Amino acid sequence: MRDALRRIGRDIVARRNVDAYVVSAAALGFAVVDLISDTVSDRMRWTLLLAGISLLVFRITLPAQRAGGRDFLYDRQHLAEVPLSERIERAHTLWVLAPSAVNLLGPETVSALRTGMLSKRGSVVRILVLDPDQEQAVQIAEQQLDSSLRFPIQSLRPSIRTTLERLQLMAGWHVPGSLEWRLLDLSPGFSLVAIDPGERHGVLILEIHGYHGDSISSRMHLELRREDDPRWHDYWADQFETLWNASAGRMGTPPP
């Protein structure tokens, strides 16, 4: 009973299934009143019955969720289906944390940043990647990300260099938005993309690196929407901010 009440409380806070709870509460209330007295009219009973039937019929038309309601679990293929360049079209803030971020900062995404977010004053793009001069951290990350894959297609060190060269070139752009990057002295074991974090519509994509997978595309992704799960969305957003503040400073050219 306690677990059920907690679930109902979380749903109400997140504004999920509110219609069902309202109809259920009304039905329970009328049932109690009808049990102890005879004041509930037939008209009221029929109204409540029809409301319940209407709600059931409406819910049949809703799109089906994945088993167990786990419609936040994906793999990297989902990023290909909904590319980052499309996700950030109307965004004002983008945070990226990754060992190299070379796949995320491909030509399509970089072009979308130039013509979209970075073309708007007040927009902020923050990138966190591994510091190539932190030899021990890079070696650990290589063991986890390169050596453990059965079918590797790229190496970490050259990927970091490619990203840093790309960021240096992007820092020379004369755009109103702000581009900043910093270097990590450790590999936290996950990658993260946050789009408008902290906003009600904010989305955070978390990739768990794991160990000894088939390929990069086999890694698990969690897509945390703040309006659905504010607790974990904010938790991982705080993780980014903590790492950002703890990292060695290196920023792009500030906006004019």
Side-chain angles (χ1 to χ4, degrees):
M1 183 64 178
R2 186 178 302 173
D3 291 341
L5 291 175
R6 287 176 180 166
R7 176 178 55 79
I8 292 171
R10 289 195 299 268
D11 281 355
I12 292 175
V13 169
R15 289 185 267 228
R16 289 190 298 260
N17 304 319
V18 175
D19 51 356
Y21 292 132
V22 170
V23 173
S24 298
L28 180 61
F30 281 125
V32 171
V33 172
D34 198 34
L35 183 65
I36 62 178
S37 68
D38 196 25
T39 58
V40 180
S41 66
D42 289 339
R43 181 178 179 183
M44 187 62 71
R45 292 190 184 98
W46 277 108
T47 299
L48 187 61
L49 177 62
L50 291 173
I53 293 173
S54 299
L55 178 62
L56 289 173
V57 172
F58 171 73
R59 284 185 168 271
I60 291 174
T61 67
L62 295 178
Q65 290 186 326
R66 293 180 176 224
R70 295 185 177 91
D71 55 347
F72 59 91
L73 297 177
Y74 303 98
D75 56 23
R76 185 169 281 206
Q77 180 61 32
H78 184 61
L79 278 182
E81 296 171 357
V82 188
L84 186 59
S85 57
E86 293 183 13
R87 292 174 179 267
I88 62 176
E89 283 181 348
R90 299 181 181 179
H92 291 87
T93 302
L94 174 66
W95 295 348
V96 173
L97 183 158
S100 71
V102 70
N103 295 311
L104 288 170
L105 296 178
E108 185 178 1
T109 300
V110 170
S111 177
L113 287 172
R114 178 181 59 81
T115 59
M117 289 186 63
L118 292 177
S119 69
K120 297 178 288 188
R121 188 172 299 277
S123 295
V124 177
V125 178
R126 288 181 171 177
I127 311 294
L128 263 175
V129 296
L130 268 177
D131 186 342
D133 294 330
Q134 295 291 328
E135 185 62 29
Q136 184 177 7
V138 174
Q139 286 181 357
I140 292 172
E142 282 181 322
Q143 183 180 7
Q144 182 182 17
L145 301 175
D146 290 346
S147 302
S148 65
L149 290 178
R150 295 188 181 94
F151 306 102
I153 59 173
Q154 60 191 22
S155 298
L156 180 59
R157 290 175 192 266
S159 297
I160 296 175
R161 288 196 295 270
T162 297
T163 295
L164 293 180
E165 290 172 0
R166 188 164 294 165
L167 289 172
Q168 289 283 1
L169 292 171
M170 293 170 66
W173 295 351
H174 296 290
V175 290
S178 174
L179 170 66
E180 307 170 5
W181 73 89
R182 295 185 180 180
L183 303 178
L184 284 165
D185 60 359
L186 56 88
S187 180
F190 62 87
S191 297
L192 181 153
V193 174
I195 303 169
D196 285 341
E199 302 291 337
R200 182 182 174 186
H201 62 275
V203 177
L204 190 147
I205 303 169
L206 179 71
E207 177 182 275
I208 307 299
H209 293 162
Y211 182 77
H212 204 62
D214 287 336
S215 62
I216 293 176
S217 61
S218 66
R219 295 174 187 161
M220 182 178 72
H221 280 208
L222 290 83
E223 186 166 318
L224 304 174
R225 299 182 177 275
R226 193 169 192 271
E227 60 182 347
D228 295 332
D229 200 336
R231 175 191 175 188
W232 292 114
H233 177 280
D234 293 349
Y235 173 86
W236 288 105
D238 287 343
Q239 289 284 296
F240 179 92
E241 289 191 298
T242 300
L243 288 166
W244 177 262
N245 292 330
S247 63
R250 178 179 289 183
M251 295 188 179
T253 303

